[in-house]
Amino acid sequence: MRRRRGEGGRHGMPLLPLRGLGHRVIAAVVALLVGVTALAGCAPVEGGAGARFVTPPLVRYSAVLWPVPLQLVGAEPGARLRLTAQLTTSHGSWTSAATYTVPASGTLDLARARPQLAPFTEPDSAGLFWSLRGPHLGDDAAVRQWMRDTIHVTVRAADGDRVVASRRFELTGLAAGVPERTLYTRDLRAAIDARVPRQTHEDVPLGTFFSAASLEHPRAPAVVMFDDPTPGASAEYTAPLIAQFGASVLSIPVSGASDGVRSTGIVSDTTVQAVLDWLAQRPDIVHDQVFVYGTGASEQLAVWAATRFPGRVRGLFVAGGTPALLCLSPAQVAPAFDDSTGLPCLGSPATVVSSAIPSIGNINGPIVVACGKRDDVLPNACDWQRALVATRLSTFGVQTVYADRAGHAVSVPPGLPIGLPAAGGQPTEQARVAFWNAVGRALLRAVLG
């Protein structure tokens, strides 16, 4: 059963309260996304005396996790407590831990208290969740566990060997119940490549369509996503999140090279045009609110597509890649073709070549650009992103996230313990929150019309 918007979005996320609610409530959700403290005071799930974990009322948690207030109340002032989080599934156990000293009030506010002996250094009420570490999962198993299944994380507070408080958090998968369908080339009613007879490719899968339309909101904005093949950043994780913001997603698969920067396939402008035509024919899509998304190796394709069809694209969301086309290796051809003709491309991303970056000056809607300054996949990612923004005369409508200590995986949805080191992952997690806050604001405004 699909989760209805309005049932709560954990950690301040704006996901859920879009369907069936009035605009005044939606505006409050937007305020939450921007960081305004609009939640009411914390309330315990169960009553009784003694130490206990409390959270805001009416918050439903999922594996994609924005920080919301999480407090331990009724604890002994001055006590040094070890807080642990544990998730156990058929694949094994994931654990995380941090030490805190209880203040004189007896209330330990995890959104404000600085941890000790922890994999994160700054206050973070979701830190025990995104810092979970456990067995490595294959791609399919990871998607199922974090995005489709309902999992349970138990958080305990212990004073030495004595457990003083415990609470079990139920985390639902955001992808559970999101309608999706495979899109085939025959669905587009147009030749994808005029050089290939239609009958030879009409049953070829082109991508996946995730619908955000509902009875309450029968027409939704749309996002054309060039899929980032990186674990945690791929469409299986990001498309359901975007659908929760209220936008439908058409994900086009992209194969990534082993360097994590290049793609290994080719996309033609006829494919992108056919996709845009297909969306324009759908009655459940707001036709003037179509965005383009691409991160990592797919960013170059997203920038190319958005600038190739600026009159049909409302906005652009990119992170962690190059905005210039990189030649396929070993063949020195571009990953994008225009009118069956290969485009110029760069042999290496090591040097930023501003002249190779398409101008985003003709994109009239919101643009979100993000990178980590400690990106070990593309060390000069932020230099590339700054050069992309510089192609636009005005930065009005442009949101940039240049995260000083963050790594490559800045586009993974917040809260997921994927793509983070055992320690020192907090700056990347914070960059994820900032990136998805900016994307969420843009999409929520499109939903509101």
Side-chain angles (χ1 to χ4, degrees):
M1 179 177 176
R2 185 172 186 178
R3 188 171 66 187
R4 295 174 53 195
R5 314 226 172 191
E7 291 179 345
R10 71 161 152 31
H11 292 72
M13 66 189 303
L15 299 183
L16 316 170
L18 287 178
R19 295 178 182 166
L21 294 183
H23 283 202
R24 190 172 301 174
V25 176
I26 296 176
V29 176
V30 176
L32 265 179
L33 183 61
V34 181
V36 178
T37 54
L39 285 173
C42 293
V45 169
E46 357 180 284
R52 60 203 182 277
F53 290 102
V54 298
T55 57
L58 305 179
V59 172
R60 183 174 180 178
Y61 289 79
S62 67
V64 174
L65 193 63
W66 264 255
V68 295
L70 173 59
Q71 298 178 353
L72 176 67
V73 302
E76 180 182 352
R80 186 175 169 86
L81 301 180
R82 187 67 171 167
L83 271 61
T84 60
Q86 182 171 13
L87 164 67
T88 300
T89 74
S90 59
H91 298 291
S93 293
W94 284 257
T95 59
S96 179
T99 299
Y100 293 88
T101 300
V102 180
S105 64
T107 295
L108 180 64
D109 185 349
L110 298 188
R112 299 177 180 273
R114 189 176 298 276
Q116 307 140 18
L117 302 175
F120 48 97
T121 58
E122 301 295 327
D124 192 333
S125 61
L128 290 170
F129 295 87
W130 58 256
S131 64
L132 287 166
R133 297 295 178 266
H136 173 75
L137 297 178
D139 291 343
D140 292 342
V143 170
R144 175 164 294 280
Q145 175 165 304
W146 302 114
M147 297 304 295
R148 299 187 181 279
D149 290 346
T150 295
I151 56 178
H152 298 88
V153 176
T154 300
V155 179
R156 297 182 178 89
D159 186 352
D161 294 332
R162 181 172 64 93
V163 175
V164 299
S166 178
R167 178 166 171 180
R168 189 172 184 247
F169 291 84
E170 181 177 279
L171 310 183
T172 59
L174 283 187
V178 174
E180 62 181 86
R181 57 169 286 198
T182 300
L183 185 69
Y184 292 85
T185 50
R186 67 176 183 269
D187 296 321
L188 301 181
R189 300 178 182 176
I192 298 304
D193 187 342
R195 296 169 299 174
V196 181
R198 177 186 170 118
Q199 63 269 21
T200 65
H201 62 79
E202 63 178 2
D203 290 330
V204 174
L206 175 68
T208 305
F209 182 66
F210 301 79
S211 176
S214 68
L215 291 176
E216 298 91 343
H217 294 271
R219 300 179 70 238
V223 174
V224 176
M225 173 181 290
F226 291 90
D227 193 6
D228 183 342
T230 308
S234 64
E236 291 104 334
Y237 299 90
T238 55
L241 174 54
I242 289 174
Q244 294 288 345
F245 284 130
S248 296
V249 180
L250 200 164
S251 171
I252 300 173
V254 175
S255 298
S258 58
D259 62 4
V261 177
R262 303 172 190 268
S263 67
T264 58
I266 295 175
V267 177
S268 71
D269 63 332
T270 55
T271 299
V272 177
Q273 184 171 4
V275 163
L276 294 172
D277 289 344
W278 185 79
L279 291 171
Q281 294 168 5
R282 292 188 62 88
D284 59 343
I285 298 297
V286 182
H287 301 145
D288 62 350
Q289 296 288 350
V290 176
F291 301 81
V292 177
Y293 176 105
T295 62
S298 298
E299 176 177 332
Q300 57 187 316
L301 295 171
V303 173
W304 162 74
T307 55
R308 174 65 178 79
F309 300 98
R312 306 186 67 176
V313 171
R314 175 62 177 162
L316 175 67
F317 311 132
V318 294
T322 69
L325 294 174
L326 300 178
C327 299
L328 305 183
S329 181
Q332 294 300 299
V333 297
F337 270 58
D338 191 343
D339 195 21
S340 302
T341 302
L343 297 170
C345 58
L346 298 179
S348 169
T351 300
V352 175
V353 180
S354 298
S355 60
I357 303 174
S359 172
I360 57 175
N362 289 334
I363 299 176
N364 294 322
I367 296 173
V368 179
V369 174
C371 59
K373 293 185 180 179
R374 295 190 180 179
D375 189 326
D376 57 354
V377 176
L378 183 64
N380 59 351
C382 286
D383 294 333
W384 277 111
Q385 307 300 42
R386 287 193 174 90
L388 173 65
V389 174
T391 66
R392 187 180 175 95
L393 293 179
S394 171
T395 58
F396 177 78
V398 179
Q399 295 291 315
T400 58
V401 179
Y402 303 135
D404 285 339
R405 295 175 294 148
H408 177 71
V410 295
S411 62
V412 176
L416 295 177
I418 298 174
L420 295 171
Q426 191 169 35
T428 303
E429 171 67 13
Q430 292 169 338
R432 294 173 176 181
V433 172
F435 173 68
W436 284 105
N437 275 353
V439 172
R441 278 195 297 267
L443 293 177
L444 283 170
R445 291 182 184 124
V447 170
L448 294 175

